[in-house]
């Protein structure tokens, strides 16, 4: 049977690094291809790297058919579950795969939900009959992925990590996503950098790990400053225990004028005495 390599399926999961591919090749050359390749008809579903290595060196391999596949969505879900069960992938890859699975499940649920029946206009004086309430449908394991907690559990991550990975997927520039995939920057730092414009993300990723860390630090500091409470000016108010001063009376004003005139007369006398001494 001629095996067909579907390029879309081959690229659906992140490829092995050169080091990982070399290690797999050495293992197959030493021990042979121990795991069977999984096929859907004649389409290769799992084992692209093993198939390439065996073909390159003319080594034998086994195949097995998965008869449960009915659509490409079934194939994608199976591939995701297979890779989520492996320990060699990073936390970021786990989150990306779990988010893909959630999208597929959501699309299936939307297609399987029947539209509401078309309404029929009833006579104006006829009371509307209450619609019978449908029996609740059982929640499948895949439907449970709609919750963040279930999604995190499927990927063996925390809920917060799933949120950060989703932000990187939606807002991250390709250069930033490549950096977090390669382990150059942590998920937390990459999520912070993803808040920046795409040009700044790309520049930080091109500058390397240190610049990505500094960019994440600047973003966090800016958010802290923006969220810090601003002290509003408070008008000084008189002490509630101090009684307000009484308004001035006419007699009081006249007395104050007399006191000021007496002070002026005294000052004039002192000034005249000083002038006489100088003369």
């Amino acid at each position: 049977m001629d095996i067909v390599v579907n390029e879309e399926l081959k690229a659906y999961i992140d490829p092995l690094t050169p080091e990982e591919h070399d290690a797999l090749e050495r293992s197959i050359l030493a021990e042979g291809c121990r795991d069977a390749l999984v096929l859907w008809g004649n389409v290769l579903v799992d084992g692209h790297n093993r198939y390439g290595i065996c073909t390159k060196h003319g080594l034998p391999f086994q195949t097995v058919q998965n008869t449960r596949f009915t659509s490409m969505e079934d194939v994608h879900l199976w591939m995701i579950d297979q890779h989520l069960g492996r320990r060699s992938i990073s936390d970021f890859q786990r989150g990306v795969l779990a988010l893909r699975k959630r999208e597929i499940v959501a699309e299936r649920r939307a297609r399987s939900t029947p539209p509401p029946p078309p309404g029929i206009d009833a006579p104006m004086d006829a009371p509307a009959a209450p619609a019978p309430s449908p029996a609740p449908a059982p929640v499948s394991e895949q439907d449970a992925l709609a919750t963040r907690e279930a999604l995190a559990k499927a990927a063996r991550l925390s809920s917060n990590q799933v949120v950060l990975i989703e932000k990187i997927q939606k807002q991250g520039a390709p250069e930033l996503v490549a950096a977090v995939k390669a382990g150059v920057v942590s998920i937390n730092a990459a999520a912070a950098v993803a808040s920046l414009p795409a040009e700044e993300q790309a520049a930080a990723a091109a500058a390397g790990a240190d610049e990505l860390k500094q960019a994440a630090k600047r973003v966090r500091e800016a958010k802290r400053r923006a969220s810090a409470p601003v002290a509003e000016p408070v008008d000084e108010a008189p002490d509630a225990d101090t009684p307000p001063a009484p308004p001035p009376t006419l007699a009081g004003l006249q007395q104050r004028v007399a006191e000021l005139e007496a002070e002026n007369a005294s000052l004039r006398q002192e000034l005249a005495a000083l002038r006489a001494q100088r003369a």
Side-chain angles (χ1 to χ4, degrees):
M1 179 179 57
D2 294 331
I3 294 179
V4 175
V5 176
N6 184 305
E7 294 300 328
E8 186 268 337
L9 283 180
K10 184 178 180 181
Y12 192 71
I13 304 295
D14 289 337
L16 298 178
T17 64
E19 294 77 12
E20 292 170 338
H21 188 277
D22 291 344
L24 178 62
E25 186 171 19
R26 289 193 299 269
S27 174
I28 291 177
L29 289 174
E31 305 175 9
C33 186
R34 295 177 297 177
D35 297 326
L37 311 182
V38 180
L39 302 177
W40 179 32
N42 62 344
V43 176
L44 181 60
V45 173
D46 184 61
H48 291 88
N49 294 295
R50 285 171 280 146
Y51 176 71
I53 293 171
C54 291
T55 303
K56 174 183 175 182
H57 296 283
L59 300 175
F61 54 85
Q62 301 293 324
T63 63
V64 61
Q65 286 284 339
N66 191 320
T67 58
R68 292 177 297 175
F69 297 149
T70 60
S71 65
M72 188 61 73
E73 284 184 347
D74 290 341
V75 175
H76 287 163
L77 289 172
W78 183 88
M79 293 175 69
I80 290 172
D81 287 340
Q82 290 297 307
H83 283 78
L84 284 177
R86 296 173 179 172
R87 297 179 180 272
S88 58
I89 62 176
S90 67
D91 288 345
F92 181 77
Q93 289 173 311
R94 291 184 187 281
V96 171
L97 291 175
L99 290 169
R100 286 182 186 176
K101 184 172 182 178
R102 184 180 67 179
E103 292 177 2
I104 296 174
V105 171
E107 291 174 1
R108 282 192 166 183
R109 188 187 302 110
R111 291 197 304 267
S112 63
T113 302
I120 301 176
D121 294 336
M124 294 296 293
D125 55 351
S133 57
V139 179
S140 66
E141 180 180 356
Q142 291 184 351
D143 289 342
L145 285 175
T147 65
R148 183 184 301 169
E149 292 75 14
L151 185 66
K153 183 178 180 181
R156 300 205 296 272
L157 302 171
S158 68
S159 298
N160 184 58
Q161 283 178 305
V162 172
V163 172
L164 297 179
I165 292 171
E166 188 170 16
K167 179 180 180 181
I168 296 170
Q169 284 287 96
K170 291 181 178 180
Q171 303 179 20
E175 295 83 357
L176 178 63
V177 175
V180 71
K181 281 183 178 180
V184 176
V185 61
S186 68
I187 293 174
N188 287 338
V193 177
S195 303
L196 298 172
E199 297 79 5
E200 295 185 30
Q201 296 182 41
D210 290 340
E211 178 56 30
L212 284 169
K213 292 179 182 178
Q214 292 300 319
K217 183 179 179 181
R218 291 193 294 269
V219 171
R220 295 186 184 114
E221 290 177 350
K223 288 183 178 180
R224 279 196 292 268
R225 289 194 297 268
S227 61
V230 179
E232 297 182 357
V234 180
D235 295 335
E236 292 185 0
D239 191 351
D241 296 334
T242 303
T249 61
L250 179 59
L253 291 175
Q254 291 175 343
Q255 181 180 357
R256 181 58 180 163
V257 170
E259 292 174 353
L260 292 175
E261 288 178 349
E263 291 179 3
N264 289 335
S266 177
L267 291 174
R268 283 195 294 269
Q269 291 177 358
E270 292 179 2
L271 180 58
L274 290 173
R275 287 177 178 172
Q277 290 177 358
R278 294 177 180 178

PDB file of all heavy atoms in Angstrom, residues 177-214:
ATOM      1  N   VAL A 177       6.110  34.383  19.670  1.00  0.00           N
ATOM      2  CA  VAL A 177       5.628  33.009  19.797  1.00  0.00           C
ATOM      3  C   VAL A 177       6.766  32.023  19.558  1.00  0.00           C
ATOM      4  O   VAL A 177       6.907  31.021  20.275  1.00  0.00           O
ATOM      5  CB  VAL A 177       4.472  32.756  18.812  1.00  0.00           C
ATOM      6  CG1 VAL A 177       4.047  31.297  18.835  1.00  0.00           C
ATOM      7  CG2 VAL A 177       3.276  33.646  19.147  1.00  0.00           C
ATOM      8  N   ALA A 178       7.604  32.303  18.558  1.00  0.00           N
ATOM      9  CA  ALA A 178       8.747  31.421  18.291  1.00  0.00           C
ATOM     10  C   ALA A 178       9.711  31.401  19.472  1.00  0.00           C
ATOM     11  O   ALA A 178      10.286  30.357  19.808  1.00  0.00           O
ATOM     12  CB  ALA A 178       9.460  31.882  17.021  1.00  0.00           C
ATOM     13  N   ALA A 179       9.874  32.550  20.131  1.00  0.00           N
ATOM     14  CA  ALA A 179      10.797  32.626  21.264  1.00  0.00           C
ATOM     15  C   ALA A 179      10.295  31.807  22.445  1.00  0.00           C
ATOM     16  O   ALA A 179      11.067  31.104  23.098  1.00  0.00           O
ATOM     17  CB  ALA A 179      10.998  34.090  21.680  1.00  0.00           C
ATOM     18  N   VAL A 180       9.000  31.878  22.718  1.00  0.00           N
ATOM     19  CA  VAL A 180       8.476  31.111  23.854  1.00  0.00           C
ATOM     20  C   VAL A 180       8.441  29.621  23.522  1.00  0.00           C
ATOM     21  O   VAL A 180       8.645  28.769  24.385  1.00  0.00           O
ATOM     22  CB  VAL A 180       7.089  31.636  24.277  1.00  0.00           C
ATOM     23  CG1 VAL A 180       6.027  31.294  23.258  1.00  0.00           C
ATOM     24  CG2 VAL A 180       6.677  31.092  25.633  1.00  0.00           C
ATOM     25  N   LYS A 181       8.211  29.273  22.266  1.00  0.00           N
ATOM     26  CA  LYS A 181       8.275  27.867  21.865  1.00  0.00           C
ATOM     27  C   LYS A 181       9.680  27.311  22.057  1.00  0.00           C
ATOM     28  O   LYS A 181       9.857  26.157  22.457  1.00  0.00           O
ATOM     29  CB  LYS A 181       7.860  27.713  20.396  1.00  0.00           C
ATOM     30  CG  LYS A 181       6.365  27.751  20.148  1.00  0.00           C
ATOM     31  CD  LYS A 181       6.070  27.505  18.686  1.00  0.00           C
ATOM     32  CE  LYS A 181       4.578  27.489  18.408  1.00  0.00           C
ATOM     33  NZ  LYS A 181       4.285  27.243  16.973  1.00  0.00           N
ATOM     34  N   ALA A 182      10.681  28.131  21.746  1.00  0.00           N
ATOM     35  CA  ALA A 182      12.067  27.689  21.859  1.00  0.00           C
ATOM     36  C   ALA A 182      12.580  27.735  23.291  1.00  0.00           C
ATOM     37  O   ALA A 182      13.706  27.324  23.553  1.00  0.00           O
ATOM     38  CB  ALA A 182      12.959  28.541  20.966  1.00  0.00           C
ATOM     39  N   GLY A 183      11.766  28.237  24.216  1.00  0.00           N
ATOM     40  CA  GLY A 183      12.196  28.311  25.601  1.00  0.00           C
ATOM     41  C   GLY A 183      13.092  29.493  25.906  1.00  0.00           C
ATOM     42  O   GLY A 183      13.708  29.550  26.968  1.00  0.00           O
ATOM     43  N   VAL A 184      13.164  30.467  24.993  1.00  0.00           N
ATOM     44  CA  VAL A 184      13.997  31.651  25.209  1.00  0.00           C
ATOM     45  C   VAL A 184      13.399  32.541  26.292  1.00  0.00           C
ATOM     46  O   VAL A 184      14.124  33.203  27.040  1.00  0.00           O
ATOM     47  CB  VAL A 184      14.163  32.432  23.886  1.00  0.00           C
ATOM     48  CG1 VAL A 184      14.942  33.721  24.106  1.00  0.00           C
ATOM     49  CG2 VAL A 184      14.859  31.559  22.847  1.00  0.00           C
ATOM     50  N   VAL A 185      12.080  32.565  26.386  1.00  0.00           N
ATOM     51  CA  VAL A 185      11.392  33.418  27.345  1.00  0.00           C
ATOM     52  C   VAL A 185      10.307  32.580  28.020  1.00  0.00           C
ATOM     53  O   VAL A 185       9.740  31.666  27.408  1.00  0.00           O
ATOM     54  CB  VAL A 185      10.790  34.665  26.639  1.00  0.00           C
ATOM     55  CG1 VAL A 185       9.768  34.263  25.597  1.00  0.00           C
ATOM     56  CG2 VAL A 185      10.185  35.636  27.634  1.00  0.00           C
ATOM     57  N   SER A 186      10.017  32.897  29.266  1.00  0.00           N
ATOM     58  CA  SER A 186       8.995  32.165  29.999  1.00  0.00           C
ATOM     59  C   SER A 186       7.601  32.563  29.529  1.00  0.00           C
ATOM     60  O   SER A 186       7.413  33.595  28.870  1.00  0.00           O
ATOM     61  CB  SER A 186       9.129  32.428  31.500  1.00  0.00           C
ATOM     62  OG  SER A 186       8.798  33.785  31.793  1.00  0.00           O
ATOM     63  N   ILE A 187       6.608  31.743  29.899  1.00  0.00           N
ATOM     64  CA  ILE A 187       5.232  32.041  29.534  1.00  0.00           C
ATOM     65  C   ILE A 187       4.778  33.339  30.187  1.00  0.00           C
ATOM     66  O   ILE A 187       4.124  34.178  29.553  1.00  0.00           O
ATOM     67  CB  ILE A 187       4.314  30.871  29.934  1.00  0.00           C
ATOM     68  CG1 ILE A 187       4.635  29.625  29.101  1.00  0.00           C
ATOM     69  CG2 ILE A 187       2.840  31.242  29.776  1.00  0.00           C
ATOM     70  CD1 ILE A 187       3.868  28.390  29.539  1.00  0.00           C
ATOM     71  N   ASN A 188       5.115  33.554  31.454  1.00  0.00           N
ATOM     72  CA  ASN A 188       4.705  34.775  32.162  1.00  0.00           C
ATOM     73  C   ASN A 188       5.277  36.021  31.486  1.00  0.00           C
ATOM     74  O   ASN A 188       4.570  37.006  31.257  1.00  0.00           O
ATOM     75  CB  ASN A 188       5.157  34.715  33.618  1.00  0.00           C
ATOM     76  CG  ASN A 188       4.342  33.730  34.435  1.00  0.00           C
ATOM     77  OD1 ASN A 188       3.229  33.396  34.063  1.00  0.00           O
ATOM     78  ND2 ASN A 188       4.890  33.274  35.541  1.00  0.00           N
ATOM     79  N   ALA A 189       6.573  35.979  31.174  1.00  0.00           N
ATOM     80  CA  ALA A 189       7.207  37.140  30.545  1.00  0.00           C
ATOM     81  C   ALA A 189       6.665  37.363  29.144  1.00  0.00           C
ATOM     82  O   ALA A 189       6.426  38.512  28.735  1.00  0.00           O
ATOM     83  CB  ALA A 189       8.719  36.949  30.517  1.00  0.00           C
ATOM     84  N   ALA A 190       6.455  36.286  28.390  1.00  0.00           N
ATOM     85  CA  ALA A 190       5.937  36.428  27.030  1.00  0.00           C
ATOM     86  C   ALA A 190       4.541  37.028  27.025  1.00  0.00           C
ATOM     87  O   ALA A 190       4.202  37.841  26.162  1.00  0.00           O
ATOM     88  CB  ALA A 190       5.940  35.076  26.328  1.00  0.00           C
ATOM     89  N   ALA A 191       3.715  36.652  27.999  1.00  0.00           N
ATOM     90  CA  ALA A 191       2.366  37.211  28.080  1.00  0.00           C
ATOM     91  C   ALA A 191       2.417  38.713  28.363  1.00  0.00           C
ATOM     92  O   ALA A 191       1.593  39.481  27.854  1.00  0.00           O
ATOM     93  CB  ALA A 191       1.566  36.493  29.154  1.00  0.00           C
ATOM     94  N   ALA A 192       3.383  39.142  29.179  1.00  0.00           N
ATOM     95  CA  ALA A 192       3.530  40.577  29.437  1.00  0.00           C
ATOM     96  C   ALA A 192       3.988  41.307  28.183  1.00  0.00           C
ATOM     97  O   ALA A 192       3.449  42.364  27.835  1.00  0.00           O
ATOM     98  CB  ALA A 192       4.522  40.799  30.573  1.00  0.00           C
ATOM     99  N   VAL A 193       4.972  40.749  27.483  1.00  0.00           N
ATOM    100  CA  VAL A 193       5.479  41.387  26.263  1.00  0.00           C
ATOM    101  C   VAL A 193       4.399  41.435  25.186  1.00  0.00           C
ATOM    102  O   VAL A 193       4.363  42.340  24.351  1.00  0.00           O
ATOM    103  CB  VAL A 193       6.731  40.647  25.758  1.00  0.00           C
ATOM    104  CG1 VAL A 193       7.236  41.248  24.446  1.00  0.00           C
ATOM    105  CG2 VAL A 193       7.839  40.698  26.813  1.00  0.00           C
ATOM    106  N   ALA A 194       3.478  40.461  25.188  1.00  0.00           N
ATOM    107  CA  ALA A 194       2.415  40.422  24.189  1.00  0.00           C
ATOM    108  C   ALA A 194       1.488  41.623  24.278  1.00  0.00           C
ATOM    109  O   ALA A 194       0.707  41.873  23.342  1.00  0.00           O
ATOM    110  CB  ALA A 194       1.606  39.131  24.334  1.00  0.00           C
ATOM    111  N   SER A 195       1.555  42.399  25.374  1.00  0.00           N
ATOM    112  CA  SER A 195       0.749  43.614  25.500  1.00  0.00           C
ATOM    113  C   SER A 195       1.307  44.751  24.651  1.00  0.00           C
ATOM    114  O   SER A 195       0.605  45.742  24.411  1.00  0.00           O
ATOM    115  CB  SER A 195       0.683  44.052  26.965  1.00  0.00           C
ATOM    116  OG  SER A 195       0.170  43.024  27.788  1.00  0.00           O
ATOM    117  N   LEU A 196       2.546  44.641  24.211  1.00  0.00           N
ATOM    118  CA  LEU A 196       3.183  45.696  23.435  1.00  0.00           C
ATOM    119  C   LEU A 196       2.767  45.615  21.970  1.00  0.00           C
ATOM    120  O   LEU A 196       2.278  44.583  21.510  1.00  0.00           O
ATOM    121  CB  LEU A 196       4.706  45.572  23.543  1.00  0.00           C
ATOM    122  CG  LEU A 196       5.317  45.717  24.941  1.00  0.00           C
ATOM    123  CD1 LEU A 196       6.804  45.376  24.902  1.00  0.00           C
ATOM    124  CD2 LEU A 196       5.104  47.127  25.465  1.00  0.00           C
ATOM    125  N   PRO A 197       2.981  46.704  21.201  1.00  0.00           N
ATOM    126  CA  PRO A 197       2.748  46.626  19.759  1.00  0.00           C
ATOM    127  C   PRO A 197       3.621  45.551  19.115  1.00  0.00           C
ATOM    128  O   PRO A 197       4.695  45.213  19.620  1.00  0.00           O
ATOM    129  CB  PRO A 197       3.127  48.036  19.264  1.00  0.00           C
ATOM    130  CG  PRO A 197       2.975  48.912  20.471  1.00  0.00           C
ATOM    131  CD  PRO A 197       3.335  48.068  21.648  1.00  0.00           C
ATOM    132  N   ALA A 198       3.155  45.029  17.987  1.00  0.00           N
ATOM    133  CA  ALA A 198       3.844  43.912  17.338  1.00  0.00           C
ATOM    134  C   ALA A 198       5.289  44.261  16.984  1.00  0.00           C
ATOM    135  O   ALA A 198       6.183  43.416  17.084  1.00  0.00           O
ATOM    136  CB  ALA A 198       3.079  43.489  16.084  1.00  0.00           C
ATOM    137  N   GLU A 199       5.536  45.525  16.581  1.00  0.00           N
ATOM    138  CA  GLU A 199       6.897  45.906  16.207  1.00  0.00           C
ATOM    139  C   GLU A 199       7.837  45.834  17.410  1.00  0.00           C
ATOM    140  O   GLU A 199       8.979  45.373  17.296  1.00  0.00           O
ATOM    141  CB  GLU A 199       6.914  47.324  15.622  1.00  0.00           C
ATOM    142  CG  GLU A 199       6.128  47.487  14.329  1.00  0.00           C
ATOM    143  CD  GLU A 199       4.639  47.606  14.561  1.00  0.00           C
ATOM    144  OE1 GLU A 199       4.224  47.666  15.740  1.00  0.00           O
ATOM    145  OE2 GLU A 199       3.886  47.615  13.573  1.00  0.00           O
ATOM    146  N   GLU A 200       7.361  46.272  18.570  1.00  0.00           N
ATOM    147  CA  GLU A 200       8.194  46.221  19.768  1.00  0.00           C
ATOM    148  C   GLU A 200       8.410  44.782  20.221  1.00  0.00           C
ATOM    149  O   GLU A 200       9.488  44.424  20.713  1.00  0.00           O
ATOM    150  CB  GLU A 200       7.543  47.041  20.886  1.00  0.00           C
ATOM    151  CG  GLU A 200       7.455  48.535  20.578  1.00  0.00           C
ATOM    152  CD  GLU A 200       6.906  49.323  21.752  1.00  0.00           C
ATOM    153  OE1 GLU A 200       7.112  48.895  22.914  1.00  0.00           O
ATOM    154  OE2 GLU A 200       6.257  50.360  21.523  1.00  0.00           O
ATOM    155  N   GLN A 201       7.390  43.937  20.072  1.00  0.00           N
ATOM    156  CA  GLN A 201       7.568  42.526  20.411  1.00  0.00           C
ATOM    157  C   GLN A 201       8.645  41.892  19.538  1.00  0.00           C
ATOM    158  O   GLN A 201       9.530  41.177  20.026  1.00  0.00           O
ATOM    159  CB  GLN A 201       6.250  41.771  20.206  1.00  0.00           C
ATOM    160  CG  GLN A 201       5.109  42.189  21.103  1.00  0.00           C
ATOM    161  CD  GLN A 201       3.873  41.350  20.842  1.00  0.00           C
ATOM    162  OE1 GLN A 201       3.957  40.141  20.653  1.00  0.00           O
ATOM    163  NE2 GLN A 201       2.718  41.984  20.818  1.00  0.00           N
ATOM    164  N   ALA A 202       8.570  42.158  18.233  1.00  0.00           N
ATOM    165  CA  ALA A 202       9.542  41.572  17.306  1.00  0.00           C
ATOM    166  C   ALA A 202      10.951  42.067  17.615  1.00  0.00           C
ATOM    167  O   ALA A 202      11.919  41.295  17.574  1.00  0.00           O
ATOM    168  CB  ALA A 202       9.158  41.912  15.862  1.00  0.00           C
ATOM    169  N   ALA A 203      11.079  43.361  17.931  1.00  0.00           N
ATOM    170  CA  ALA A 203      12.403  43.913  18.237  1.00  0.00           C
ATOM    171  C   ALA A 203      12.973  43.290  19.509  1.00  0.00           C
ATOM    172  O   ALA A 203      14.164  42.961  19.578  1.00  0.00           O
ATOM    173  CB  ALA A 203      12.311  45.425  18.380  1.00  0.00           C
ATOM    174  N   ALA A 204      12.127  43.122  20.526  1.00  0.00           N
ATOM    175  CA  ALA A 204      12.596  42.515  21.772  1.00  0.00           C
ATOM    176  C   ALA A 204      13.007  41.067  21.546  1.00  0.00           C
ATOM    177  O   ALA A 204      14.021  40.601  22.088  1.00  0.00           O
ATOM    178  CB  ALA A 204      11.508  42.609  22.835  1.00  0.00           C
ATOM    179  N   ALA A 205      12.222  40.339  20.758  1.00  0.00           N
ATOM    180  CA  ALA A 205      12.563  38.938  20.485  1.00  0.00           C
ATOM    181  C   ALA A 205      13.864  38.838  19.702  1.00  0.00           C
ATOM    182  O   ALA A 205      14.677  37.941  19.944  1.00  0.00           O
ATOM    183  CB  ALA A 205      11.421  38.270  19.720  1.00  0.00           C
ATOM    184  N   ALA A 206      14.078  39.754  18.773  1.00  0.00           N
ATOM    185  CA  ALA A 206      15.312  39.726  17.993  1.00  0.00           C
ATOM    186  C   ALA A 206      16.526  40.049  18.852  1.00  0.00           C
ATOM    187  O   ALA A 206      17.634  39.570  18.581  1.00  0.00           O
ATOM    188  CB  ALA A 206      15.211  40.710  16.825  1.00  0.00           C
ATOM    189  N   ALA A 207      16.329  40.852  19.904  1.00  0.00           N
ATOM    190  CA  ALA A 207      17.449  41.239  20.768  1.00  0.00           C
ATOM    191  C   ALA A 207      17.849  40.124  21.727  1.00  0.00           C
ATOM    192  O   ALA A 207      18.944  40.171  22.292  1.00  0.00           O
ATOM    193  CB  ALA A 207      17.094  42.501  21.547  1.00  0.00           C
ATOM    194  N   GLY A 208      16.961  39.147  21.949  1.00  0.00           N
ATOM    195  CA  GLY A 208      17.341  38.016  22.781  1.00  0.00           C
ATOM    196  C   GLY A 208      16.639  37.975  24.127  1.00  0.00           C
ATOM    197  O   GLY A 208      15.758  38.787  24.440  1.00  0.00           O
ATOM    198  N   ALA A 209      17.057  37.010  24.931  1.00  0.00           N
ATOM    199  CA  ALA A 209      16.387  36.714  26.196  1.00  0.00           C
ATOM    200  C   ALA A 209      16.438  37.886  27.169  1.00  0.00           C
ATOM    201  O   ALA A 209      15.443  38.204  27.824  1.00  0.00           O
ATOM    202  CB  ALA A 209      16.997  35.472  26.838  1.00  0.00           C
ATOM    203  N   ASP A 210      17.593  38.549  27.282  1.00  0.00           N
ATOM    204  CA  ASP A 210      17.719  39.641  28.255  1.00  0.00           C
ATOM    205  C   ASP A 210      16.772  40.782  27.928  1.00  0.00           C
ATOM    206  O   ASP A 210      16.124  41.354  28.822  1.00  0.00           O
ATOM    207  CB  ASP A 210      19.165  40.148  28.298  1.00  0.00           C
ATOM    208  CG  ASP A 210      20.104  39.129  28.929  1.00  0.00           C
ATOM    209  OD1 ASP A 210      19.609  38.239  29.652  1.00  0.00           O
ATOM    210  OD2 ASP A 210      21.325  39.214  28.678  1.00  0.00           O
ATOM    211  N   GLU A 211      16.678  41.136  26.661  1.00  0.00           N
ATOM    212  CA  GLU A 211      15.796  42.236  26.273  1.00  0.00           C
ATOM    213  C   GLU A 211      14.334  41.859  26.475  1.00  0.00           C
ATOM    214  O   GLU A 211      13.514  42.704  26.865  1.00  0.00           O
ATOM    215  CB  GLU A 211      16.041  42.626  24.820  1.00  0.00           C
ATOM    216  CG  GLU A 211      15.135  43.734  24.305  1.00  0.00           C
ATOM    217  CD  GLU A 211      15.212  45.009  25.145  1.00  0.00           C
ATOM    218  OE1 GLU A 211      16.291  45.285  25.727  1.00  0.00           O
ATOM    219  OE2 GLU A 211      14.200  45.730  25.209  1.00  0.00           O
ATOM    220  N   LEU A 212      13.976  40.596  26.237  1.00  0.00           N
ATOM    221  CA  LEU A 212      12.603  40.158  26.492  1.00  0.00           C
ATOM    222  C   LEU A 212      12.263  40.275  27.969  1.00  0.00           C
ATOM    223  O   LEU A 212      11.162  40.703  28.338  1.00  0.00           O
ATOM    224  CB  LEU A 212      12.427  38.715  26.020  1.00  0.00           C
ATOM    225  CG  LEU A 212      12.304  38.508  24.507  1.00  0.00           C
ATOM    226  CD1 LEU A 212      12.412  37.030  24.150  1.00  0.00           C
ATOM    227  CD2 LEU A 212      10.983  39.079  23.989  1.00  0.00           C
ATOM    228  N   LYS A 213      13.196  39.911  28.833  1.00  0.00           N
ATOM    229  CA  LYS A 213      12.957  40.042  30.274  1.00  0.00           C
ATOM    230  C   LYS A 213      12.791  41.502  30.662  1.00  0.00           C
ATOM    231  O   LYS A 213      11.922  41.842  31.473  1.00  0.00           O
ATOM    232  CB  LYS A 213      14.113  39.419  31.048  1.00  0.00           C
ATOM    233  CG  LYS A 213      14.202  37.906  30.928  1.00  0.00           C
ATOM    234  CD  LYS A 213      15.400  37.377  31.705  1.00  0.00           C
ATOM    235  CE  LYS A 213      15.534  35.864  31.565  1.00  0.00           C
ATOM    236  NZ  LYS A 213      16.727  35.343  32.273  1.00  0.00           N
ATOM    237  N   GLN A 214      13.639  42.380  30.106  1.00  0.00           N
ATOM    238  CA  GLN A 214      13.539  43.804  30.423  1.00  0.00           C
ATOM    239  C   GLN A 214      12.229  44.390  29.907  1.00  0.00           C
ATOM    240  O   GLN A 214      11.598  45.219  30.570  1.00  0.00           O
ATOM    241  CB  GLN A 214      14.730  44.558  29.834  1.00  0.00           C
ATOM    242  CG  GLN A 214      16.061  44.230  30.486  1.00  0.00           C
ATOM    243  CD  GLN A 214      16.063  44.557  31.965  1.00  0.00           C
ATOM    244  OE1 GLN A 214      15.541  45.588  32.384  1.00  0.00           O
ATOM    245  NE2 GLN A 214      16.651  43.669  32.766  1.00  0.00           N
TER     246      GLN A 214
END
